[in-house]
Amino acid sequence: MSGPAALRSEEETMPAAVAVTDTESAHIAPAHEPPAFGALVLRWYRLNRERLRAIVVGALSLLTFLIVWHLLTKYRVVFFVRFTNVPSPLAVYESFTRAIHDPKFLMHILLSCRRIFIGFSLAALVGVPLGLIMGRYKLIHEVVFPVAEVLRPIPAIAWVPMAIMLWPSNEQSIVFITFLGSFFPILVNTLHGMSLVDPVLVRAAQCLGARERSIFREVYFPASLPHIFTGLTVGMGVAWVSLIAAEMISGQYGIGYFTWEAYSLVQYADIALGMIAIGVLGLGSSFLIRGGGRLVMPWRST
Amino acid sequence: MSQIDTRPPRGRIEVDNFSLSYETIEGPVEAVSNTRIHVNPGEFVSIVGPSGCGKSTLLNAVAGFLKPTTGSVTVDGEAVNGPSAERGMVFQQYSLFPWKTVRANVEFGLKMRGIPSSQRERAARTLLGLAGLEAFEKHYPERLSGGMKQRVGIVRALATGPKVLLLDEPFGALDAQTRVIMQQILTNLWQRLKISVLFVTHDIDEAIFLSDRVYCMTARPGSIKAEIPIPLERPRQQSMMMSSEFLALRRGLMSLIREESLKAMGGEINELAMQGLSIDLHGHSLAEIL
């Protein structure tokens, strides 16, 4: 607002609606001339200084990590922990260049990704709708919740023997364990999101003629989406943890199996390569989910 | 939108012999008791009263969110039976859908009615234009100021062409300047659409400035203490708030409410204590005197 005096005079001479758009829109979209290129760059720099610094510091930090790793392995430091057999970054890089031309290594990665994809997708397809329905209908919540609460604290790895008994093939039991790992975080977060839906929004929808199904689709679901995506992100992390554990114990193929096999075959560089591959895959998949979240919830990005 | 403008006057609200009580562990607590109000078609009626007097409860019962313990609520002779798009509601907390753009928010009621999207779009644009919000149709509510949010809220409630408009302290969260402008906008919309309005507020000036009639409620359990017609001529200007007529109405309502507010506070503060509040400090600070 441009001051009370100006406002008052506007009110008396113009229709109120017009006066308001003028004063309020000035706040949001101030009209200014297109600035020169140099000024634009400068302004961009000033606005993004923080982020630029974070990128530079992040890169330096990673570089320092590599150098420390290199020095520790080069001089075979033994100080509580033993770096005698730990592969150097260069050795790992070497085995990486070999591995990317090796179809077997790529198959390991592809198989792990496929297991994650199937296990995680199933968990999302079951967990999200179940959470939504449990959040809406008390009776279903009362029936399902106690069982879920008993099964939830059991780590997915503890399911390995049971999974082997339950499923006819090794592949299926690994997917099942991945599914279990991500299922509970997704379910719990969806439920949490449902419990936080603002009842006034539900009432607003009712006053606009929305029936049960529309309220579910237009209010409960979008209102819970932020928490659903939190659940998906956490679930994806746990899915990888469970997958790698399952692959190490019962697998043939898969990046977890590759890492364990490297240890058995005394190929130390491949251990680190397997670990880094797992890290990169985990990072990539959580990026995908975050990107998906931004796509599905455009109102949350500012 | 032409059907909204040329509709014959309708929307008579009648609340008769109305009481509402809540069950608690100590037994039922009466929030509103034996209340009778009505709103004529096209009339603007406000309910004022001390906080907690049940004025919002009464409004929520008209909206259909609460069922009366005794008595009846009817609109155009039909008993109110749950919320519906026939009674548009505006909330103090704006309650816009954050995941919908301004226009999608306004279109929501029409979408629920199954109106095709091109028609919805046209209707929403017209209404947003009336409220001076065309430029913001693609914005998400989060980016709007409080006054703009509430304008969207009002327009959204009007989009379905309701018989009556119910407002629950809609400007309570706005700053004084914005509130004045919003009152003007609401008056303009009301005069154009000739819709019945039931308006709940604790702001006496607001109630007088906007209304044809004002109901004043007693402290809990709430009932109607007085019904005051507001004979100020329309269109009303902000400058009227300084007229002797306005001030007389204000003084009358003020004393009615004050009595009830004191009662609502459980007699902790009596008239004598209130007089004590106007201590003459003679230019000293309060700390010095104490």
Side-chain angles (χ1 to χ4, degrees):
Chain A
M1 316 249 152
S2 54
L7 199 70
R8 217 168 297 135
S9 67
E10 269 175 343
E11 240 166 68
E12 273 151 23
T13 52
M14 291 188 215
V18 179
V20 174
T21 18
D22 283 348
T23 49
E24 284 194 18
S25 61
H27 257 316
I28 288 176
H32 42 62
E33 314 244 308
F37 182 72
L40 212 68
V41 169
L42 205 72
R43 194 179 299 164
W44 183 86
Y45 169 73
R46 219 176 295 145
L47 282 172
N48 292 284
R49 201 167 7 184
E50 298 266 308
R51 218 183 310 159
L52 280 175
R53 197 189 62 184
I55 290 171
V56 172
V57 173
L60 283 176
S61 152
L62 280 174
L63 194 67
T64 316
F65 175 79
L66 281 176
I67 290 168
V68 171
W69 175 12
H70 175 73
L71 293 176
L72 285 172
T73 49
K74 188 176 180 194
Y75 296 104
R76 302 194 181 283
V77 175
V78 176
F79 181 72
F80 292 108
V81 279
R82 299 157 300 153
F83 285 91
T84 18
N85 286 326
V86 173
S88 73
L90 286 172
V92 175
Y93 180 72
E94 221 169 89
S95 80
F96 169 70
T97 49
R98 224 177 313 117
I100 50 167
H101 297 298
D102 180 5
K104 219 172 158 200
F105 178 75
L106 296 179
M107 194 191 57
H108 283 306
I109 286 187
L110 260 159
L111 261 170
S112 286
C113 287
R114 201 182 77 170
R115 286 164 179 164
I116 284 284
F117 179 75
I118 298 172
F120 177 81
S121 303
L122 281 175
L125 284 176
V126 178
V128 172
L130 184 62
L132 291 173
I133 290 169
M134 279 170 76
R136 189 78 188 98
Y137 302 104
K138 270 213 176 107
L139 184 66
I140 295 175
H141 188 279
E142 283 158 9
V143 170
V144 179
F145 193 67
V147 183
E149 278 302 279
V150 171
L151 295 182
R152 191 162 65 95
I154 303 171
I157 310 159
W159 278 91
V160 169
M162 184 65 78
I164 292 169
M165 286 196 293
L166 279 172
W167 297 92
S169 82
N170 223 340
E171 189 64 25
Q172 284 162 331
S173 54
I174 292 175
V175 169
F176 175 66
I177 284 162
T178 315
F179 164 84
L180 276 177
S182 47
F183 174 72
F184 287 108
I186 293 174
L187 177 69
V188 168
N189 279 285
T190 306
L191 261 178
H192 183 61
M194 283 296 281
S195 72
L196 293 180
V197 174
D198 186 352
V200 179
L201 290 181
V202 177
R203 283 165 48 187
Q206 286 173 328
C207 269
L208 292 164
R211 299 295 179 86
E212 183 64 30
R213 266 177 71 184
S214 311
I215 292 173
F216 208 90
R217 196 181 56 235
E218 305 270 358
V219 182
Y220 279 105
F221 180 60
S224 305
L225 266 179
H227 285 92
I228 290 175
F229 269 88
T230 307
L232 292 178
T233 311
V234 177
M236 182 55 97
V238 184
W240 276 103
V241 172
S242 316
L243 173 79
I244 300 303
E247 283 179 349
M248 283 189 168
I249 294 171
S250 71
Q252 310 149 335
Y253 310 118
I255 193 69
Y257 173 75
F258 170 85
T259 308
W260 189 253
E261 188 195 41
Y263 175 72
S264 323
L265 299 178
V266 209
Q267 287 165 345
Y268 294 139
D270 282 351
I271 298 180
L273 178 64
M275 287 169 66
I276 292 170
I278 293 164
V280 169
L281 289 171
L283 197 70
S285 46
S286 78
F287 258 133
L288 277 180
I289 291 180
R290 225 174 299 162
R294 231 170 265 153
L295 219 70
V296 178
M297 302 180 285
W299 68 91
R300 298 201 96 221
S301 47
T302 42
Chain B
M1 286 338 287
S2 59
Q3 88 238 37
I4 288 183
D5 291 18
T6 56
R7 203 176 36 211
R10 52 169 195 165
R12 182 180 169 79
I13 305 173
E14 253 171 305
V15 177
D16 206 10
N17 189 26
F18 176 96
S19 343
L20 199 146
S21 40
Y22 296 102
E23 286 300 327
T24 67
I25 195 109
E26 283 118 24
V29 171
E30 203 162 45
V32 181
S33 105
N34 205 15
T35 290
R36 199 180 158 180
I37 64 167
H38 72 275
V39 179
N40 292 321
E43 197 182 19
F44 199 122
V45 174
S46 291
I47 306 175
V48 293
S51 51
C53 72
K55 50 192 191 293
S56 291
T57 307
L58 191 56
L59 194 76
N60 277 322
V62 178
F65 294 122
L66 298 170
K67 282 210 159 37
T69 314
T70 63
S72 66
V73 179
T74 59
V75 174
D76 288 344
E78 272 175 56
V80 166
N81 197 6
S84 107
E86 290 203 332
R87 278 156 279 125
M89 179 118 176
V90 178
F91 304 84
Q92 180 177 358
Q93 314 90 317
Y94 316 125
S95 73
L96 302 180
F97 305 118
W99 45 86
K100 288 181 183 294
T101 60
V102 164
R103 202 180 73 206
N105 261 286
V106 175
E107 284 182 16
F108 185 82
L110 298 172
K111 188 177 174 190
M112 292 302 104
R113 258 218 235 140
I115 288 170
S117 97
S118 60
Q119 232 171 307
R120 293 203 308 253
E121 195 177 315
R122 216 175 321 129
R125 286 233 170 92
T126 310
L127 277 163
L128 285 170
L130 281 178
L133 286 166
E134 300 125 307
F136 300 96
E137 60 166 351
K138 292 206 173 87
H139 283 45
Y140 285 104
E142 196 196 31
R143 288 183 55 196
L144 305 183
S145 68
M148 294 163 92
K149 279 184 198 165
Q150 200 55 296
R151 271 185 275 158
V152 178
I154 293 171
V155 156
R156 181 179 69 174
L158 289 171
T160 47
K163 288 181 174 176
V164 299
L165 185 63
L166 312 170
L167 302 100
D168 190 358
E169 304 210 18
F171 310 142
L174 303 176
D175 61 82
Q177 283 161 333
T178 311
R179 194 181 309 182
V180 166
I181 298 168
M182 292 296 294
Q183 289 163 0
Q184 200 81 60
I185 293 173
L186 180 62
T187 316
N188 287 351
L189 281 171
W190 168 70
Q191 272 170 336
R192 221 182 264 219
L193 302 178
K194 297 177 177 65
I195 187 174
S196 316
V197 174
L198 187 56
F199 189 97
V200 162
T201 179
H202 60 256
D203 183 333
I204 293 169
D205 289 335
E206 185 169 83
I208 301 173
F209 180 70
L210 292 171
S211 313
D212 296 322
R213 253 181 325 122
V214 176
Y215 284 108
C216 177
M217 278 183 91
T218 64
R220 177 176 279 243
S223 59
I224 300 303
K225 185 185 176 88
E227 177 187 341
I228 297 127
I230 308 292
L232 300 174
E233 63 186 57
R234 294 187 188 268
R236 293 180 185 167
Q237 303 295 332
Q238 221 52 52
S239 52
M240 272 183 175
M241 296 182 93
M242 295 298 156
S243 69
S244 58
E245 217 181 347
F246 191 98
L247 291 176
L249 284 164
R250 183 172 195 266
R251 217 170 302 132
L253 257 170
M254 207 68 142
S255 67
L256 283 170
I257 298 255
R258 204 159 105 117
E259 240 169 71
E260 292 307 318
S261 296
L262 291 175
K263 249 188 250 169
M265 288 182 171
E268 279 168 43
I269 305 172
N270 54 29
E271 279 297 319
L272 218 86
M274 288 299 281
Q275 280 167 21
L277 280 179
S278 55
I279 307 165
D280 195 352
L281 297 178
H282 299 292
H284 298 284
S285 78
L286 190 59
E288 265 176 78
I289 288 179
L290 293 173

